[in-house]
Amino acid sequence: MARAVLLFLLFLLPLLSYHLTAAVTASGSGGPTDGLLRGNEKERLTRLRFYWHDTSAGPNPSAVLVAQSATKSASSFGTVKVMDDPLTVGPNRSSLLVGKSQGIYVSADKDTSGLLMAMTFSFVVGKYNGSTLAVVGRNEVKTHTREMAITGGTGLLRFATGYVQARTYSFDPTIGYTIVEYSCYFVTSPLKLTVPEYSHFI
């Protein structure tokens, strides 16, 4: 019995030591920009901000209706739209194009203007040219600040995790034109990963 307890403690102590070290290092001086410990490397928080332009009317809409609910509701419950929206560095549509937001949004709330959004931010300029971020979550459009999850990325943004904050900059219902400010906060793996051999199912 004593031997079993001793072996268990020898197994447990290194794990406790690792988690305690990780917790102390992650707390650091208290801010998220101080970095989070992963192994022997630190993750750094990256912040991006840009403006999302969504046009659902006119001769050249960037969002189109693909499904309409058979029942009427104030929240347009059941409506599905596909988007290919430009992302710009500033709120003016003529400012520098930094990428596109491609995906869908669904009116998924029977009572309020709550959207389920699934989209990819695909960047076309600068160091992130060719890289993407995947975003999914609930967007209650009448709320001042909404949050959705960053669930992954590609290119320089592989393994990205974090969140976005969306704030409506302007809305013109006469032409269905919405401008939203997006602030992205995420970390990516600092490790230089080698590509392993393919695993086999059998």
Side-chain angles (χ1 to χ4, degrees), residues 105-118:
Y105 52 89
V106 181
S107 296
D109 194 314
K110 292 191 293 184
D111 302 314
T112 65
S113 300
L115 303 177
L116 170 62
M117 303 193 73

Side-chain angles (χ1 to χ4, degrees), residues 193-199:
L193 302 175
T194 57
V195 179
E197 295 293 328
Y198 284 109
S199 296

Side-chain angles (χ1 to χ4, degrees), residues 131-149:
S131 299
T132 68
L133 288 174
V135 177
V136 66
R138 172 179 167 80
N139 183 357
E140 190 170 342
V141 296
K142 293 183 179 179
T143 302
H144 179 264
T145 302
R146 295 87 69 188
E147 287 191 5
M148 290 172 281

